[in-house]
Amino acid sequence: MDIVAGVDFGTLSVRVSIVDSDRGLLASALAEYPLHRRREDPEFATQSHADHMNALAAATRAAVQKSGVPGTAIQAIALDTTGSSVVPVDKNLQPLDDYYLWCDHRAKSEAEEITAAAHREKLPAIDWCGGVYSSEWGFSKLLHWLRHNPEKRSAFASAFEHCDMVAATLSGICDPRAVKRSICAMGHKWLWNATLGGLPPENFLVKVDPLLAGVRKKLAGTYATSDQIAGKLSPHWADKLGLAPGIPIPVGAFDAHWDAIGAGCRSEDMVNVVGTSTCIIGITPSVNLVPGVCGVVAGSVHPEQTGIEAGLSAVGDIFNAIATRAATDVQTLSQGLESYRPGQTGLLRMAWDNGDRTILVNPNLRGVTLGWNLQSTAQDELFAAIEGTAFHTRVILDRMSEHGVTMKRVINAGGIPQKNTVLNQVYANILGRPVLVPSSSVTSLGAAIFAFLAGGTFHSVEEAQDKICPSHKSFHPDPAAKSVYDQLYPLYRDLYFALGQPNQSALGKILPELIHISEQVNKGNPGSN
């Protein structure tokens, strides 16, 4: 019997779970931290490293207390985080600013410049992230920070993903060069590829912008999969967390990737990790490069296989926004949704309120609801939004299938499927295949699995999954509902590509121009072109 701590940093809170190798989950505790937004700039989203660490300490102590086991009994701790959530640091590993959170889209123009340069210079790595670089990823965020913080550039020593920064902090590492970097994070968000020589070459980066000169060297270090050890818990942080010093901390990863492991993802499975956004995570034994799909990385999800990632930039956030506008909450607004029938609302709802992550990789989009009538309600829009996220997921999975990705099972994980049977059934009906849902929460369970590996309890991911992961409940397509959705899907797909591609359709120019006008007005310059 071994006991570990699994930590999951989400967008608004951190969850710490104490897990026993024989008895399973003993206790969990959650601590929140603020997300800094600006109404005048909807692209802005930051968080404080200090807030993260204080919340981690509070949640860990609370989880240990609830578990009834002494903190000294915890044999390892593993951490996953959101990403790409990027913090610039100085030579002593101290933050120079807050994190650019994953949902911070201020670096839209930087992402466009990186994409254009990659194609112009024929950078092979761009094909491994679907052909388009995103404003949600590391280099674009870092370049935006360098451009907008000239007074801090002289102190800039490196930049880190949240998962690597937390592991290094807990280990007492103070030298950026000594920090191990997650292949999961760097492969999916920073164009790192072992077969291509690691990060993009210096001469490419300076062609994007001379401000990136020397950045490749500053990002150097050991890149490792999550079956490797990032460090050991320092006495200082052991005291703050209420744990024993010296316990191992494996190299971290992104929350959705480890959520997929916790949900029981095996080779050729695809997991929809549905929360504030959706990350679609798969494990594949072979490499299939898929246009528009935002990452194919060996060792990212499973240390010995290839991970593939896609997703939607907003899901739960859309549901919450609809409910907020209706002066209620999602739980209240959802009452009665089980009686809705496919096509009943007459609405098609695009899930673009925070842009498109995959497959268009276009942040210059916004939510669209087509088909309103005078009797349409907020609840109608909520149901249409659930359908819209499922249609968008089908667009993504179809694109993967077209490019040779095999999918044996589809699993709905994350926080929302546990609480929303309507969503799971709609997904099964629209995808036209069974959808599996873990019978209990798996948040931070993937982190616990990697903590067990670090502590030597289990010798493989699969061995740990067999012991720790919950069983699945199956949602099967309803033939009548599937028939209606098979009629609606081509309409959704046509609208998706017509409105979402500014260079392919006249309609594709509408949403980007609306955003441009709004940005200029908010800057006090409504006449700017």
Side-chain angles (χ1 to χ4, degrees):
M1 179 182 73
D2 294 330
I3 302 174
V4 300
V7 179
D8 178 274
F9 279 92
T11 303
L12 299 175
S13 63
V14 59
R15 179 181 296 275
V16 179
S17 294
I18 308 302
V19 183
D20 185 291
S21 59
D22 290 329
R23 294 176 290 167
L25 177 66
L26 300 181
S28 290
L30 181 146
E32 297 181 344
Y33 32 71
L35 168 61
H36 307 299
R37 288 278 200 183
R38 293 178 179 172
R39 180 172 177 80
E40 70 274 14
D41 185 358
E43 312 293 3
F44 185 96
T46 66
Q47 284 179 335
S48 159
H49 178 66
D51 287 343
H52 285 154
M53 299 308 296
N54 290 335
L56 172 62
T60 302
R61 285 188 169 274
V64 169
Q65 183 178 20
K66 288 171 64 176
S67 73
V69 301
T72 53
I74 308 299
Q75 295 168 272
I77 182 170
L79 314 102
D80 62 51
T81 68
T82 64
S84 190
S85 292
V86 180
V87 63
V89 300
D90 67 14
K91 64 181 181 180
N92 298 314
L93 204 67
Q94 294 301 304
L96 293 171
D97 215 326
D98 284 350
Y99 284 90
Y100 274 52
L101 205 62
W102 67 269
C103 51
D104 188 304
H105 290 168
R106 283 176 290 167
K108 293 187 294 185
S109 62
E110 286 78 9
E112 291 174 359
E113 292 171 45
I114 292 170
T115 298
H119 288 289
R120 184 177 64 249
E121 302 296 325
K122 295 180 172 51
L123 183 75
I126 196 69
D127 296 329
W128 291 74
C129 62
V132 183
Y133 200 75
S134 170
S135 62
E136 293 188 354
W137 300 350
F139 274 118
S140 53
K141 293 177 187 292
L142 177 57
L143 180 55
H144 184 276
W145 183 85
L146 289 169
R147 287 174 170 175
H148 291 82
N149 293 276
E151 75 285 358
K152 298 179 181 179
R153 288 178 200 153
S154 62
F156 171 68
S158 192
F160 287 96
E161 286 287 343
H162 187 193
C163 61
D164 297 331
M165 184 67 174
V166 175
T169 301
L170 291 180
S171 302
I173 296 172
C174 297
D175 183 351
R177 296 168 296 182
V179 178
K180 288 188 178 178
R181 295 182 184 269
S182 165
I183 281 177
C184 172
M186 302 305 290
H188 283 280
K189 311 300 183 184
W190 291 81
L191 296 169
W192 182 89
N193 187 309
T195 64
L196 300 176
L199 293 170
E202 174 82 1
N203 62 1
F204 167 77
L205 294 175
V206 296
K207 287 179 180 177
V208 174
D209 192 306
L211 285 176
L212 292 176
V215 164
R216 190 181 195 274
K217 184 177 180 180
K218 291 177 179 179
L219 297 176
T222 301
Y223 286 63
T225 52
S226 293
D227 55 350
Q228 305 298 311
I229 303 300
K232 294 186 177 181
L233 188 62
S234 70
H236 172 79
W237 281 102
D239 181 64
K240 283 186 171 292
L241 272 59
L243 305 179
I247 63 174
I249 306 169
V251 173
F254 289 150
D255 51 356
H257 294 240
W258 279 7
D259 279 351
I261 292 294
C265 183
R266 296 293 182 96
S267 184
E268 298 185 327
D269 287 346
M270 201 64 61
V271 182
N272 302 314
V273 184
V274 186
T276 53
S277 69
T278 287
C279 282
I280 300 174
I281 305 295
I283 298 175
T284 174
S286 58
V287 174
N288 296 87
L289 302 185
V290 183
V293 169
C294 58
V296 178
V297 180
S300 66
V301 182
H302 188 294
E304 297 175 359
Q305 296 201 58
T306 297
I308 186 167
E309 177 187 354
L312 284 67
S313 288
V315 177
D317 277 347
I318 294 176
F319 304 159
N320 287 329
I322 293 169
T324 299
R325 288 193 291 268
T328 185
D329 56 72
V330 174
Q331 183 177 2
T332 302
L333 195 60
S334 296
Q335 294 175 7
L337 283 183
E338 63 275 0
S339 66
Y340 272 62
R341 303 182 308 278
Q344 170 184 323
T345 66
L347 303 176
L348 280 179
R349 177 65 156 82
M350 311 305 293
W352 285 338
D353 298 48
N354 199 28
D356 182 285
R357 178 181 293 163
T358 315
I359 56 179
L360 302 177
V361 199
N362 185 354
N364 288 312
L365 298 174
R366 289 294 180 266
V368 174
T369 304
L370 192 69
W372 290 106
N373 63 51
L374 295 177
Q375 282 73 47
S376 296
T377 67
Q379 190 172 56
D380 293 340
E381 185 186 7
L382 178 60
F383 187 74
I386 292 172
E387 293 177 317
T389 64
F391 281 133
H392 192 160
T393 300
R394 181 171 170 180
V395 168
I396 295 168
L397 298 186
D398 283 356
R399 172 64 65 90
M400 289 184 181
S401 295
E402 291 164 3
H403 288 268
V405 178
T406 301
M407 286 168 253
K408 291 181 178 177
R409 302 186 300 175
V410 172
I411 302 171
N412 272 7
I416 291 179
Q418 295 288 330
K419 300 173 286 189
N420 196 320
T421 58
V422 170
L423 178 141
N424 298 319
Q425 188 59 55
V426 167
Y427 273 54
N429 294 337
I430 287 178
L431 298 180
R433 61 189 302 159
V435 170
L436 306 181
V437 180
S439 57
S440 59
S441 175
V442 299
T443 302
S444 67
L445 191 58
I449 285 173
F450 281 96
F452 279 125
L453 292 180
T457 303
F458 300 112
H459 301 293
S460 70
V461 170
E462 292 77 11
E463 182 186 358
Q465 286 177 317
D466 287 340
K467 189 73 174 181
I468 301 299
C469 292
S471 60
H472 296 105
K473 178 180 179 181
S474 297
F475 290 81
H476 293 272
D478 173 78
K482 178 182 180 299
S483 177
V484 175
Y485 283 132
D486 284 345
Q487 298 175 60
L488 291 173
Y489 176 61
L491 305 179
Y492 182 95
R493 187 181 56 214
D494 289 348
L495 189 64
Y496 177 89
F497 288 107
L499 280 176
Q501 296 179 298
N503 297 324
Q504 302 295 323
S505 163
L507 293 176
K509 300 176 182 178
I510 294 174
L511 293 175
E513 187 61 21
L514 282 174
I515 294 171
H516 173 72
I517 293 170
S518 174
E519 289 175 343
Q520 294 305 315
V521 170
N522 285 322
K523 291 176 182 177
N525 188 18
S528 176
N529 290 316

